[in-house]
Amino acid sequence: MNNMFSLDGKIALVTGAAYGIGLAIAKALAGAGAKIVFNCSRQETVDRGLKAYKELGIDAKGYVCDVTDEESVKNMIADIESNIGVIDILVNNAGIIKRIPMHETSVEDFRRVVDVDLVAPYICAKAVIPGMIKKGHGKIINICSMMSELGRETVSAYAAAKGGLKMLTKNICSEYGEYNIQCNGIGPGYIATEQTAPLREIQPDGSRHPFDRFIISKTPAGRWGTPEDLEGPAVFLASDASNFVNGQILYVDGGILAYIGKQPK
């Protein structure tokens, strides 16, 4: 059974993995035996990531690469293949969100979110698939969202991109499953990270933030998720244990998508 989940000898590229969800997933893959490669768009963020990995005892390789730039991605993949090896596992984690009412969102902001959250996973998958075909196997994990299924105010661009990412996941499965390439998604619920910390701050009167109360009321688990909650699902989808799982989105949301909510009293 342990061998089914082993990633010994595998090379994993996790995009945008200097901190938060990406770092937690990369840490889990490394713990299962994978060699970790990650990228960020700025050198200072790469340096932050390298420091975090060193503190965890992980020998990771970091690249400065804008995943929305196809030539930059091609160059990074070529360098990885030349100096480390052909990528076995790609985790498309890099993403952004802009919380702006749709009628106030500029076309430029809308396109930027779609570029990072949808076009970039396409570019990265396109770049690694040829190597995976030659190698005879590959795992692609797209970090989707509950917004792959649901709409919500102020996140029109994000929901459009993550909905598209769900369908890109299914299409990669459809097109490349015959080459023993599995493409699946993880759809995190509301995760307690530094980005969401302001939404969980205790208010001056000692009460919980209204959004914090809202999320807790909508989550059967009764809590926010943690980055560590995503580690097991990531290892499963990256390992041989999921070799006949393809084109699926695994929602790690504490049950939100299964729950209609409590009846008002």
Side-chain angles (χ1 to χ4, degrees):
M1 180 62 70
N2 287 340
N3 289 339
M4 290 176 63
F5 293 92
S6 172
L7 302 179
D8 285 346
K10 305 293 188 183
I11 298 167
L13 168 62
V14 186
T15 67
Y19 54 87
I21 289 173
L23 176 63
I25 288 174
K27 178 183 72 172
L29 300 183
K35 170 68 177 176
I36 301 300
V37 183
F38 73 100
N39 83 287
C40 296
S41 59
R42 296 179 298 171
Q43 184 63 56
E44 54 264 37
T45 314
V46 170
D47 291 341
R48 174 183 174 181
L50 289 172
K51 182 178 181 219
Y53 286 108
K54 185 175 181 181
E55 290 172 353
L56 291 168
I58 297 170
D59 180 21
K61 171 73 172 174
Y63 286 85
V64 177
C65 175
D66 177 357
V67 286
T68 68
D69 183 331
E70 186 171 16
E71 285 306 310
S72 182
V73 171
K74 283 181 179 178
N75 291 337
M76 177 179 66
I77 300 303
D79 190 88
I80 294 169
E81 291 182 347
S82 295
N83 295 300
I84 302 173
V86 175
I87 293 166
D88 299 284
I89 303 157
L90 167 66
V91 182
N92 279 313
N93 167 75
I96 62 171
I97 186 170
K98 293 181 182 289
R99 295 182 175 90
I100 309 169
M102 179 177 165
H103 69 282
E104 297 175 6
T105 303
S106 68
V107 172
E108 291 76 14
D109 278 343
F110 190 95
R111 284 179 174 151
R112 177 61 182 162
V113 173
V114 172
D115 272 351
V116 175
D117 293 354
L118 177 57
V119 178
Y122 159 76
I123 289 172
C124 292
K126 177 183 175 184
V128 303
I129 283 172
M132 290 178 173
I133 291 174
K134 289 179 183 178
K135 210 167 189 179
H137 68 83
K139 301 281 186 174
I140 299 172
I141 302 172
N142 292 324
I143 304 304
C144 296
S145 166
M146 291 189 303
M147 298 303 108
S148 297
E149 301 289 344
L150 300 173
R152 190 171 174 274
E153 63 275 11
T154 77
V155 294
S156 58
Y158 185 79
K162 292 299 186 177
L165 187 58
K166 176 185 75 171
M167 294 311 302
L168 178 63
T169 300
K170 292 178 178 292
N171 205 79
I172 291 172
C173 156
S174 301
E175 196 162 353
Y176 297 101
E178 67 180 289
Y179 299 103
N180 194 28
I181 295 171
Q182 291 85 50
C183 181
N184 294 288
I186 293 176
Y190 284 92
I191 306 297
T193 64
E194 61 183 69
Q195 288 93 337
T196 60
L199 300 175
R200 290 175 282 108
E201 288 180 348
I202 299 298
Q203 302 302 287
D205 63 359
S207 66
R208 301 174 81 159
H209 190 289
F211 192 80
D212 186 12
R213 296 199 305 269
F214 168 70
I215 292 305
I216 296 302
S217 73
K218 291 294 185 182
T219 308
R223 66 174 177 87
W224 288 64
T226 68
E228 289 70 29
D229 286 320
L230 303 170
E231 293 183 4
V235 171
F236 166 64
L237 291 178
S239 71
D240 288 345
S242 62
N243 280 349
F244 205 55
V245 178
N246 211 352
Q248 304 302 309
I249 313 299
L250 174 54
Y251 289 100
V252 186
D253 65 356
I256 292 178
L257 287 174
Y259 187 45
I260 196 171
K262 292 181 180 180
Q263 180 177 336
K265 294 181 180 179

